[in-house]
Amino acid sequence: MAKKLEKVDVVVVGSGWAGGIVSAELAKAGYKVVTLERGKKVDRADYIGVKDELRYTNRYEMMQNLAPETITSRVTMEDTALPVRTRKEMMAGTDLGGGSVHWAGATYRWRAYDFEIRSKTIERYGKNKIPEGMTIQDWGITYDEMEPYYDRWEKTAGISGEPDPLGDKRSSDYPNPPMKESPAVRLFKETTKKMGYHPYQVASANLSQAYTNPDGETLNACMFCSFCTQYGCDFSAKSDPLATVIPTAIKNNCEFRTNSLVRRVLHSGGKATGVMYTDTLTGEEFEQPADVVVLGAFSFTNNRLLMLSKIGQQYDPKTRKGTIGRNFNGQMNITFQGARGFFKEKKFNLYMGAGALGGTMSDFAGDNFDHTNLDFINGGGIEFRQYGHGAIATNNVPDDTPSWGPEFKKNSVFYTNRYMRVWYTPAIMSWWHNYLDLDPTYKDEFGDPLLRVTNRYTDQDRNIAKFGVEKCTEIVKEMGADIVNPDSIPDEFDHIYDGGHYAGGVIMGADPATSAVNNYLQMWEMENLFVVGGSAFPQFAGHHPTATIGALGYRAAEGVEKYLKNGGQLVEAKQASMNA
């Protein structure tokens, strides 16, 4: 039997950007907050001296162990889903700070179009532009309403950047100037500008200078060591929860309990009463009562906890009714396709880099270009990123090179610093047939069903990716590459979840019939339960999601505080769905 603990004001599940922001803000407001993290306790010192490519890039040491718990995956409802078993196939963050600790740092605001995509698409092109079966919807909040939360997160994180020339209105510039412009980044920006586009420096959480944020947390300037993606920063030069919101929360008496695997949200009489969790070191079970429960974990975890706890109506693809598990979306392997260029004369120092050192443009993002005669909606960003090549992982050679032997060795050495890749990050739309539910066969170490993902590519996905590859190929040719190899577009989903950008299932909206949470991330069906993070995305925009998750964290924290003061539903529901 679970040991019942002393009741607190708020219990938060997850310690990444979503959970960390809510924890810090409510602790600052004087509430008693407990935050539960399934992984182990870590701090900055744990990442000193561990710039080890074999250990982290090849063996995925920072990622969740999939032996006790994983997901199952299938393409269609007729298929039998099978477990995803290796961390190469699914990289999910764990430990204090969550997946936010090993992120690259690239920062984008999503566009006004993205938050009102259904309304704005119909307004410009008519309802027939949206294909049958596509379940995109407005978020129940506008960009103008989200802008203050974006601004607040950028200041907390100390983002270094310059505004997107084609971006929506901002209340202020980024708090730090953009990172240095490497020769390779300069080539990308100069070339695309000559082509008539509007390039700019990628906004970065790898800081361009020392910075103290509004909470008094100090971060350092990036040293371009190249160990960002899949690594924790040992120098506090990459903004993450360990460097920002977690120390702020601790200073304000928030308690973080690590090795604490939350397995159920407890509820009675239509309200959450707390959570049940297991100490993964001792196996002991605990019940943590709370006035408010906040799920701020990874999308898969948020969805599974609601399903296991029997909260909300499970989405049924046959009837298309229900909200929990609806609109699974995210950046799959059909994302990040582009073109690779090999240069005989130009050389770059590609071993120097940072996770968000790069150039980008949004000329083909959102609805910045006319879609009247195009066979897809939305768009994506075009990027070049100089991550910093790894000695083991980086062996870029032209497509016609053998995979071994003298010619491979010769080309591998020759093109080491003569290679660039430009890619497109297309938006991923939601469909009735892509969803999450509990697997009827496979279980975790406690005997609980695993989460099952059903995901199938559509013509929209293939068409938008093909468009992006064509644009990237044109750019790489203009950059002067002697050999240009366009990426191939996969025909179908291959069950690889290595990007970490998976979303939906507990989506935002104005109508409880088609959304699980309102625009404060408060559940329609349980007013003292807030579900925060990428699980709230009704569909996925054509840029990386971290800034939007951070902004939603601040929006949710404001909502929890309003609820603790006044109670009740914070937003009036609109019963007539726009998707009807």
Side-chain angles (χ1 to χ4, degrees):
M1 182 179 235
K3 179 181 178 181
K4 191 168 184 177
L5 303 174
E6 181 182 347
K7 187 178 182 182
V8 297
D9 296 318
V10 184
V11 61
V12 179
V13 181
S15 62
W17 276 122
I21 288 169
V22 173
S23 300
E25 290 304 297
L26 294 172
K28 284 160 57 179
Y31 294 102
K32 188 172 184 180
V33 182
V34 167
T35 303
L36 303 172
E37 166 58 49
R38 67 185 298 158
K40 65 182 182 294
K41 180 181 179 181
V42 292
D43 59 31
R44 189 63 59 207
D46 291 308
Y47 301 115
I48 295 174
V50 291
K51 298 181 189 297
D52 187 331
E53 187 185 355
L54 180 64
R55 185 174 163 192
Y56 288 92
T57 300
N58 293 71
R59 295 177 178 169
Y60 311 100
E61 183 162 316
M62 288 187 69
M63 309 305 165
Q64 184 179 314
N65 179 8
L66 300 181
E69 177 198 334
T70 183
I71 60 170
T72 66
S73 182
R74 63 181 183 174
V75 172
T76 73
M77 290 182 287
E78 289 71 37
D79 298 337
T80 299
L82 295 175
V84 177
R85 287 299 188 195
T86 72
R87 287 186 281 191
K88 183 177 182 180
E89 295 170 311
M90 188 180 80
M91 292 185 286
T94 189
D95 300 336
L96 191 64
S100 305
V101 175
H102 63 74
W103 75 307
T107 300
Y108 294 90
R109 292 185 177 195
W110 286 3
R111 320 186 79 77
Y113 171 77
D114 294 312
F115 292 103
E116 301 173 89
I117 186 172
R118 185 176 179 85
S119 299
K120 289 183 178 295
T121 300
I122 292 172
E123 179 183 342
R124 184 171 179 180
Y125 304 105
K127 196 170 183 178
N128 290 338
K129 186 66 174 176
I130 301 174
E132 166 63 28
M134 182 185 283
T135 54
I136 59 172
Q137 64 186 52
D138 295 354
W139 288 51
I141 196 169
T142 66
Y143 171 83
D144 288 342
E145 292 171 307
M146 283 288 290
E147 199 282 335
Y149 304 107
Y150 274 122
D151 184 72
R152 194 168 177 185
W153 179 79
E154 289 162 0
K155 287 179 168 61
T156 295
I159 300 302
S160 301
E162 57 184 346
D164 177 357
L166 301 180
D168 295 296
K169 184 179 178 181
R170 301 175 57 95
S171 57
S172 64
D173 288 340
Y174 290 107
N176 289 302
M179 299 188 82
K180 293 183 183 297
E181 186 182 71
S182 72
V185 173
R186 187 178 307 118
L187 176 62
F188 170 84
K189 291 168 68 176
E190 288 177 348
T191 300
T192 51
K193 189 172 183 179
K194 288 177 183 177
M195 295 173 74
Y197 301 136
H198 301 81
Y200 63 102
Q201 196 85 1
V202 173
S204 171
N206 321 121
L207 271 66
S208 61
Q209 61 186 13
Y211 172 76
T212 300
N213 77 7
D215 291 321
E217 310 300 343
T218 298
L219 297 99
N220 297 310
C222 177
M223 304 302 288
F224 299 96
C225 75
S226 303
F227 290 87
C228 294
T229 308
Q230 300 175 330
Y231 298 84
C233 182
D234 61 355
F235 192 54
S236 291
K238 178 175 70 174
S239 185
D240 60 35
L242 288 179
T244 55
V245 291
I246 289 176
T248 296
I250 291 172
K251 289 173 186 175
N252 287 277
N253 302 313
C254 175
E255 180 186 355
F256 285 85
R257 296 181 197 152
T258 51
N259 301 299
S260 300
L261 177 64
V262 178
R263 295 174 48 213
R264 294 291 189 280
V265 177
L266 306 174
H267 54 97
S268 176
K271 284 192 175 184
T273 58
V275 298
M276 185 274 283
Y277 70 94
T278 298
D279 184 318
T280 57
L281 296 179
T282 66
E284 191 174 3
E285 292 184 356
F286 296 92
E287 179 183 336
Q288 178 59 70
D291 290 326
V292 172
V293 174
V294 178
L295 302 185
F298 189 47
S299 295
F300 291 151
T301 300
N302 284 349
N303 275 274
R304 184 168 182 256
L305 275 174
L306 292 176
M307 293 174 193
L308 290 175
S309 305
K310 295 181 170 51
I311 297 173
Q313 183 182 356
Q314 172 68 48
Y315 172 72
D316 183 350
K318 294 178 181 177
T319 63
R320 305 193 190 182
K321 302 294 184 182
T323 57
I324 307 302
R326 183 176 185 266
N327 280 30
F328 171 68
N329 62 84
Q331 292 179 315
M332 321 295 174
N333 66 343
I334 205 164
T335 314
F336 307 121
Q337 304 299 320
R340 291 156 286 125
F342 298 86
F343 299 80
K344 292 183 179 178
E345 303 300 327
K346 293 185 175 72
K347 290 186 70 175
F348 313 97
N349 175 16
L350 298 176
Y351 285 89
M352 181 278 291
L357 174 62
T360 186
M361 50 177 267
S362 61
D363 295 75
F364 299 108
D367 204 33
N368 283 352
F369 56 112
D370 187 5
H371 289 70
T372 301
N373 297 317
L374 296 175
D375 48 10
F376 61 88
I377 65 170
N378 212 314
I382 291 178
E383 286 184 303
F384 164 72
R385 209 94 68 78
Q386 188 169 332
Y387 289 103
H389 283 181
I392 299 173
T394 308
N395 255 319
N396 299 301
V397 293
D399 283 350
D400 59 359
T401 303
S403 59
W404 63 281
E407 188 177 352
F408 171 79
K409 292 179 181 179
K410 177 184 175 183
N411 284 352
S412 177
V413 172
F414 181 79
Y415 288 113
T416 291
N417 282 306
R418 294 179 169 90
Y419 165 85
M420 289 181 67
R421 183 169 182 267
V422 176
W423 71 87
Y424 193 59
T425 54
I428 302 297
M429 300 296 93
S430 47
W431 298 82
W432 71 271
H433 50 71
N434 293 342
Y435 66 99
L436 305 168
D437 65 355
L438 293 177
D439 193 280
T441 304
Y442 293 97
K443 303 181 186 302
D444 68 8
E445 61 179 335
F446 298 102
D448 290 327
L450 298 180
L451 187 74
R452 178 170 65 178
V453 179
T454 305
N455 184 65
R456 175 164 58 87
Y457 289 156
T458 64
D459 287 341
Q460 154 80 22
D461 299 312
R462 288 180 281 266
N463 294 340
I464 194 172
K466 181 174 180 288
F467 173 86
V469 168
E470 290 171 354
K471 296 300 179 185
C472 292
T473 300
E474 293 171 6
I475 290 169
V476 173
K477 287 179 179 177
E478 287 294 319
M479 288 167 67
D482 298 282
I483 300 171
V484 179
N485 293 151
D487 290 334
S488 58
I489 305 300
D491 290 328
E492 198 45 85
F493 183 51
D494 62 359
H495 312 289
I496 301 297
Y497 298 82
D498 63 352
H501 298 169
Y502 301 102
V506 196
I507 63 175
M508 291 174 63
D511 182 358
T514 56
S515 61
V517 296
N518 63 29
N519 62 37
Y520 280 105
L521 291 304
Q522 178 189 34
M523 284 204 72
W524 292 113
E525 297 188 36
M526 195 165 286
E527 65 181 35
N528 68 333
L529 177 58
F530 292 71
V531 188
V532 190
S535 55
F537 298 170
Q539 52 275 326
F540 211 94
H543 285 302
H544 306 291
T546 306
T548 302
I549 290 174
L552 289 177
Y554 280 108
R555 174 72 175 178
E558 183 180 300
V560 173
E561 191 167 2
K562 284 177 181 286
Y563 177 81
L564 285 167
K565 290 177 179 177
N566 303 313
Q569 279 289 338
L570 304 176
V571 178
E572 184 178 349
K574 294 182 180 179
Q575 298 299 327
S577 172
M578 290 181 61
N579 293 335

